Each structure stands twice: as structure tokens, then as C-alpha cells.
Amino acid sequence: MPELTEESLETFYRTLKRYQQRVHADQRLPAPPADSVSVRSRLCGSALTLDAVIAQGRVQQLGWSVHACALGQACTGIVAGRLADLDEATVRRVGGQLRAILKGEQDDSDWPELAMFALVRDVPNRHGSALLPFEALDLLFERARSRG
């Protein structure tokens, strides 16, 4: 686990703020063509509505309304910044890696920016908030598959 120091905490908070900026205002997509799903963390109440246009197995467009703590906002910002990488296999793999980081089972991810979440391993009541965009995308891909 990364060492928790005053410097590492300052870097963590600066990085969180940078990713939060990407989703500070709602950016919704019209339905159709977008599909929407809302998810909520049971422990902390953080919520995310995610809109996506999925075609040929990839997210083509992404919209959001984030009502979450800094972790949920930052992770949503990271996901939004990775639009070009959002196919179902990548979302499942990287979401699993984030879960493992939060549980202390690994320290890094295919997306290096997710490694910072290792600093909040000891705050399990906020893990659900960080995982919201991956849960929402899993549901959106499931819907897209069921429609064929």
C-alpha cells in the first residue's frame, strides 16, 4: 500500500479535484439515442445517473449527473476522460482492478490514475461511490446486449 503522508494526501486531494472538474456540471444526453441508468451507493448514498450511446460494443457518447462524494465524482471524471477506451471488456476488467485496489489486493490498474484510490482502502463506506461509474456502465452494456 502506498505510504500515507501529508504530501501523498495533498497530491491525492489535488488529483481528486482535477478529475472532479470534468463532471462538476451535469452533462446529460437526450434519450433516444442514449440509454440512461441511475445507481446509488447503499452505504453513503452517493448517486450517479449515466447516459450512454453504445454502438458496435463501444460507448460512443457519455453523459452524467453526479450527486456523489469526491471519490464518486473523481472516478466518474476518470471514466469520462477514458471515453475512447470504453468497451465492455475494458470496463469489466478495469472495474475489477479498481475493486481489487480498494480491497488491498493490488496497487495498480490498466488505468494508472486509478492507483490513487489505494489511499482510501481504509474508508470502505466510500468504496461504493468510487465504483458507481463502473456499475452504471455494466448495466448499460447489459441493456445494449439484451437489445441485440
Side-chain angles (χ1 to χ4, degrees), residues 133-146:
F134 291 99
E135 291 176 14
L137 283 168
D138 283 344
L139 292 170
L140 288 164
F141 276 114
E142 185 177 306
R143 284 186 188 172
R145 259 194 338 274
S146 71

Side-chain angles (χ1 to χ4, degrees), residues 25-36:
D26 290 357
Q27 182 176 315
R28 302 296 309 271
L29 298 177
D35 193 6
S36 296

Side-chain angles (χ1 to χ4, degrees), residues 11-21 70-71 73-75 116-117:
T11 300
F12 175 72
Y13 288 125
R14 276 195 310 274
T15 305
L16 276 180
K17 284 184 179 190
R18 185 174 74 237
Y19 290 116
Q20 284 177 279
Q21 293 292 327
L71 299 180
Q73 291 175 42
C75 198
M116 71 176 174
F117 289 95

Side-chain angles (χ1 to χ4, degrees), residues 22-95:
R22 291 181 180 170
V23 296
H24 75 280
D26 290 357
Q27 182 176 315
R28 302 296 309 271
L29 298 177
D35 193 6
S36 296
V37 67
S38 294
V39 291
R40 179 177 297 277
S41 171
R42 292 184 310 251
L43 290 178
C44 69
S46 289
L48 169 65
T49 298
L50 206 59
D51 309 318
V53 175
I54 298 175
Q56 289 129 8
R58 302 189 77 75
V59 176
Q60 306 294 316
Q61 293 178 290
L62 196 63
W64 54 80
S65 176
V66 185
H67 299 280
C69 69
L71 299 180
Q73 291 175 42
C75 198
T76 302
I78 290 168
V79 168
R82 289 288 190 151
L83 182 63
D85 297 333
L86 297 181
D87 61 62
E88 188 169 10
T90 300
V91 166
R92 287 185 187 265
R93 184 181 66 255
V94 174

Side-chain angles (χ1 to χ4, degrees), residues 124-137:
N125 60 330
R126 294 294 181 189
H127 293 180
S129 184
L131 293 165
L132 288 175
F134 291 99
E135 291 176 14
L137 283 168

